[in-house]
Amino acid sequence: MKKLFILFMVLALAVSGVSGDATTRAPASTAADENGSTVLILAATDDNGHDETTATPDDLENEELPWLDDDDEELNVWDPLEPINRGTFWFNDKLYFYLLKPVARGYRWIMPDPLMLGISNFFSNLASPVRIINAGLQGKFADAGNELTRFGVNTTIGIGGLFDTAKDHFNLTKKEEDTGQTLGYYGIGPGPYLVLPFFGPSSFRDGIGLLADSRMVLTYYLWENRDYWTAIVLEKVNQVALDRDTYEGVKKDALDPYLFIRDAWAQYRQNKVEN
Amino acid sequence: MLKQLFIILAASIMLATAAISSAEMSPTDSIRGSVDSILTLLQDKGLDQTTRRKEMRKVINERFDFRAMSQRTLATNWKKASGEQQQEFVELFSHLIENTYIGRVEAYTDEKVDYPGEKVKGDKAVVETLILTASANIPIDYKVYRKKNGEWWVYDVIIEGISLISNYRSSYQEIVSKEGFDGLIAKMRDKIKELQNQPA
């Protein structure tokens, strides 16, 4: 497992080095497709981590609503691995519908709602170091302090994290930060879009982030081997059981679910990095 | 005679005040009005699903500017399309957006909605809303603009940082570039047919 991790890191760094190179070239080579509208936000990340979203296509202008375009952002996801990604997407889709969902349905049937919520809080609390460390690394010390306080309060008064006492009684809300966002904060673009088996939509940057995150979650240090994976699976099943069919909803309405989810994910992550 | 005159006078005053009050509604008031109507419909156990959805569509159609949304979604392709194609796109697109929106709201029947704030900039504004669920708060922002009659209309919905319009735009553009405008229209028709045949 450790070897695999190192191998992946090396591979990912190698590829992201290449991608970094491609990044600087990309705007020139792709900015002019036939509509003149393609703007690679992912490729256009400058050193400060700001995406210079190249001016919106002026042809969006129209006589009726000339102003509607001025806050538009073009979003085109760099997806050179699309054929492979679509394969993994298909795999995850089947996994979700034929394994995860039925299990989650049975789970929801036997588990009382408050307990599911408690388990969700519990795992979220164990992931506190991810948020504390990454808020700190981005210089967001107030958020880091907020997460540290939340961890202290919820672990003690919240009985090992089963209750989100910090939110319910002290009005301290969770600030989501992770390694992918930290890397983005320091100007590293997402690189190619990547669908990970089991974990879903990601990118080269966020994939590396995910690996780093998994080493900051306390679950990793509390249990090992089978117990660790049991904990991971329980967390996932619990999460799906609590979810209100988000994936089904999105999939049902989208003309091409792969594209829709890919673009939603890219926007979601970009927004997370910026905030 | 006098009575008739009085009625006409009263009616015109009422109409005038109604017009003024709608003109002076803040963006948040407008959104709150629509969201409240939708929540009321969702919580009305006496309605069957078909009626409820019909009523919800009505509320949405009085607040969402589907033509503006269509223009922004198609971007370059809007201008290339003929008037007829545009019309058809608006119709199909509004149907799909309604479905997506209603589908998402229906999942959160029993939750409370909070209005943390609004940002107004001239004739445009962003109204922030927060759906409070037990496990998480889901931010939904509405981008609205002021029509000439003073009403605020929605031209984009941003759920957890994801703009619906930007999202549709990138995937639709990819479909248009691969299969052409007619290909997109055909896909949308198939999708709507598929949705109608499915029990919701």
Side-chain angles (χ1 to χ4, degrees):
Chain A
M1 188 59 210
K2 204 164 188 176
K3 264 190 209 156
L4 195 74
F5 173 66
I6 294 167
L7 183 75
F8 187 82
M9 282 292 271
V10 172
L11 192 77
L13 283 173
V15 179
S16 67
V18 173
S19 74
D21 198 23
T23 302
T24 41
R25 285 195 315 263
S29 56
T30 43
D33 75 341
E34 54 163 337
N35 299 328
S37 63
T38 305
V39 181
L40 289 185
I41 63 120
L42 297 160
T45 313
D46 68 17
D47 290 334
N48 303 319
H50 302 302
D51 292 312
E52 37 171 17
T53 7
T54 320
T56 7
D58 52 343
D59 26 21
L60 218 159
E61 264 184 47
N62 59 76
E63 49 296 341
E64 298 160 67
L65 301 157
W67 49 265
L68 277 178
D69 61 328
D70 61 11
D71 57 353
D72 264 4
E73 278 179 48
E74 273 299 311
L75 186 102
N76 280 295
V77 182
W78 186 29
D79 190 9
L81 301 173
E82 185 173 337
I84 302 166
N85 280 339
R86 277 192 187 267
T88 319
F89 183 83
W90 178 87
F91 170 77
N92 286 344
D93 182 84
K94 297 292 169 247
L95 188 77
Y96 179 85
F97 282 108
Y98 293 112
L99 187 63
L100 195 52
K101 196 69 195 185
V103 171
R105 211 170 278 140
Y107 175 89
R108 183 161 59 189
W109 193 71
I110 53 171
M111 294 286 276
D113 277 8
L115 188 56
M116 289 199 294
L117 195 60
I119 290 171
S120 162
N121 288 335
F122 174 77
F123 282 113
S124 170
N125 191 53
L126 288 183
S128 292
V130 178
R131 299 188 289 271
I132 298 167
I133 293 168
N134 284 296
L137 286 175
Q138 294 172 49
K140 298 172 179 167
F141 299 115
D143 287 355
N146 174 67
E147 282 307 316
L148 194 61
T149 315
R150 278 176 50 79
F151 181 62
V153 169
N154 287 341
T155 307
T156 53
I157 312 175
I159 316 175
L162 285 174
F163 297 93
D164 195 344
T165 315
K167 186 185 106 189
D168 297 340
H169 296 285
F170 299 97
N171 206 20
L172 298 169
T173 53
K174 188 157 70 176
K175 307 278 182 233
E176 293 284 0
E177 295 293 346
D178 56 52
T179 310
Q181 291 179 55
T182 301
L183 293 172
Y185 178 83
Y186 287 103
I188 297 171
Y193 178 68
L194 194 63
V195 181
L196 298 170
F198 305 103
F199 296 97
S202 192
S203 62
F204 275 70
R205 181 192 69 201
D206 293 338
I208 295 169
L210 202 62
L211 278 165
D213 290 343
S214 71
R215 298 303 181 263
M216 298 177 203
V217 178
L218 295 179
T219 317
Y220 184 69
Y221 302 97
L222 286 173
W223 298 287
E224 42 189 29
N225 301 328
R226 243 179 84 176
D227 294 345
Y228 172 71
W229 290 108
T230 308
I232 298 285
V233 169
L234 172 64
E235 181 182 4
K236 187 75 194 167
V237 170
N238 189 71
Q239 188 198 332
V240 174
L242 273 175
D243 176 67
R244 316 268 179 96
D245 300 344
T246 311
Y247 179 60
E248 285 88 334
V250 170
K251 203 191 156 195
K252 194 177 70 170
D253 299 329
L255 295 188
D256 182 340
Y258 172 82
L259 291 182
F260 199 82
I261 287 169
R262 183 189 76 186
D263 297 343
W265 169 258
Q267 270 199 66
Y268 175 75
R269 289 303 292 178
Q270 195 198 352
N271 182 56
K272 284 265 183 217
V273 168
E274 284 166 0
N275 290 311
Chain B
M1 182 61 202
L2 202 68
K3 201 173 177 184
Q4 268 170 341
L5 197 73
F6 176 72
I7 290 169
I8 291 167
L9 196 73
S12 54
I13 288 172
M14 267 162 63
L15 277 175
T17 47
I20 289 168
S21 67
S22 87
E24 281 175 359
M25 274 230 279
S26 77
T28 304
D29 291 339
S30 310
I31 294 295
R32 197 197 302 264
S34 303
V35 170
D36 284 351
S37 315
I38 285 171
L39 288 180
T40 315
L41 287 169
L42 281 173
Q43 281 153 8
D44 188 346
K45 304 283 181 236
L47 289 175
D48 64 292
Q49 206 191 27
T50 330
T51 334
R52 176 185 301 138
R53 291 208 156 188
K54 216 174 109 196
E55 291 298 315
M56 282 169 78
R57 281 183 202 285
K58 226 198 238 157
V59 176
I60 292 168
N61 268 298
E62 282 161 9
R63 189 59 63 202
F64 282 40
D65 187 338
F66 287 118
R67 199 176 162 80
M69 289 181 167
S70 300
Q71 283 174 31
R72 283 163 53 81
T73 299
L74 283 181
T76 38
N77 294 310
W78 175 264
K79 278 205 154 176
K80 288 185 201 157
S82 70
E84 227 165 86
Q85 284 176 316
Q86 290 178 350
Q87 194 52 41
E88 180 160 28
F89 182 84
V90 173
E91 251 161 58
L92 296 170
F93 189 58
S94 48
H95 202 103
L96 284 173
I97 289 261
E98 280 169 9
N99 255 311
T100 309
Y101 185 78
I102 291 175
R104 286 334 293 145
V105 206
E106 275 179 343
Y108 298 100
T109 318
D110 307 317
E111 318 299 353
K112 278 202 192 115
V113 181
D114 209 9
Y115 298 85
E118 64 179 22
K119 289 182 203 107
V120 188
K121 217 177 120 192
D123 281 339
K124 283 197 283 181
V126 179
V127 178
E128 294 168 3
T129 75
L130 209 51
I131 299 189
L132 313 173
T133 77
S135 52
N137 296 341
I138 301 159
I140 300 185
D141 294 351
Y142 295 87
K143 283 191 174 183
V144 292
Y145 78 99
R146 186 159 40 199
K147 283 199 172 175
K148 286 205 182 85
N149 61 10
E151 288 175 359
W152 293 93
W153 283 69
V154 175
Y155 68 92
D156 198 358
V157 183
I158 294 147
I159 304 172
E160 288 200 80
I162 303 167
S163 145
L164 263 188
I165 296 301
S166 301
N167 213 37
Y168 277 108
R169 184 187 307 136
S170 39
S171 42
Y172 280 22
Q173 267 179 356
E174 199 153 328
I175 294 169
V176 171
S177 66
K178 278 182 191 150
E179 302 169 37
F181 196 83
D182 292 334
L184 176 68
I185 294 280
K187 270 205 155 140
M188 293 171 85
R189 273 212 206 99
D190 287 349
K191 185 45 119 185
I192 288 169
K193 211 175 282 167
E194 184 191 316
L195 289 170
Q196 278 164 346
N197 293 336
Q198 241 171 36

